[in-house]
């Protein structure tokens, strides 16, 4: 599975579409054409794809081996307690209450729900917000210093899918949903400065991070 990120710029939608087509074209080695299923889920012939954007960041994902979903949300001060109480499972609310940073905890769950909904082609329709997500494990200080991805977890209601939170430089939370049998995630950050680093999540597969 490939995930690319880039600064959003002034037109986030166009930036996300252009980045997705560039990613798909690099994988297919031909010009990619973005299409949509009747449900609205995007696809490129030969690839499962997904895209997301916030005010500061665009994120796209593509895979030739199974459904994918990606979601990104900016981290900025806001009250999320009402949304959480309305939609989240009691176990998720309990986990949030125990986290030092309630907003980031909320966004980890929200982006996971969005990513899974996109992978399923349903979005947040059909009780997508109520779909219980695997709870992120605590990140140890050494993992935070090394920029490791948060551990993946199987989605209990969709055991063919797993969710992973990937590290990004910006103040944002990025989640991807991918087949549980996936063996590698390659994250490429486009930011105009040469940077290459390799990190591994606490799962059975590596997350390789490249900067361009």
């Amino acid at each position: 599975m490939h995930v690319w990120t880039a600064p959003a710029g002034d037109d986030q939608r166009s930036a996300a579409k252009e980045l997705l087509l560039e990613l798909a074209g690099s994988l297919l080695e031909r010009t990619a054409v973005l299409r949509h299923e009747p449900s609205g889920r995007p696809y490129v012939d030969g690839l499962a794809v997904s895209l997301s954007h916030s005010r500061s960041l665009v994120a796209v994902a593509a895979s030739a081996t199974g459904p994918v979903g990606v979601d990104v949300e900016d981290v900025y001060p806001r009250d999320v307690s009402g949304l959480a109480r309305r939609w989240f499972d009691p176990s998720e609310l309990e986990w949030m209450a125990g986290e030092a940073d309630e907003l980031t905890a909320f966004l980890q769950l929200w982006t996971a729900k969005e990513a899974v909904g996109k992978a399923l082609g349903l979005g947040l329709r059909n009780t997508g917000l109520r779909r219980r997500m695997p709870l992120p494990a605590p990140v140890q200080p050494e993992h935070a210093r090394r920029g490791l991805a948060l551990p993946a977890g199987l989605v209990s209601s969709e055991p063919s899918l797993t969710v992973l939170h990937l590290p990004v430089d910006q103040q944002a939370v990025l989640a991807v949903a991918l087949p549980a049998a996936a063996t590698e995630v390659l994250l490429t950050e486009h930011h105009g400065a040469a940077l290459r680093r390799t990190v591994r999540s606490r799962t059975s597969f590596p997350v390789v991070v490249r900067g361009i």
Side-chain angles (χ1 to χ4, degrees), residues 39-134:
S39 66
R41 176 165 58 178
Y43 73 95
V44 171
D45 288 341
L47 295 173
V49 300
S50 182
L51 70 165
S52 180
H53 63 80
S54 66
R55 290 185 295 185
S56 65
L57 192 69
V58 297
V60 300
S63 173
T65 59
V68 298
V70 64
D71 192 63
V72 63
E73 295 285 345
D74 290 330
V75 179
Y76 62 88
R78 54 190 141 161
D79 183 11
V80 296
S81 57
L83 274 175
R85 288 195 301 270
R86 180 177 180 181
W87 296 111
F88 286 4
D89 183 84
S91 64
E92 295 172 331
L93 292 174
E94 182 180 1
W95 174 77
M96 276 184 56
E99 292 297 293
D101 187 340
E102 182 186 57
L103 174 59
T104 297
F106 171 86
L107 292 176
Q108 287 172 346
L109 293 173
W110 186 277
T111 55
K113 291 172 188 285
E114 285 268 24
V116 170
K118 291 178 179 181
L120 295 172
L122 300 173
L124 294 179
R125 300 187 299 274
N126 299 330
T127 69
L129 275 174
R130 299 192 185 279
R131 187 180 293 113
R132 192 169 58 193
M133 291 293 105

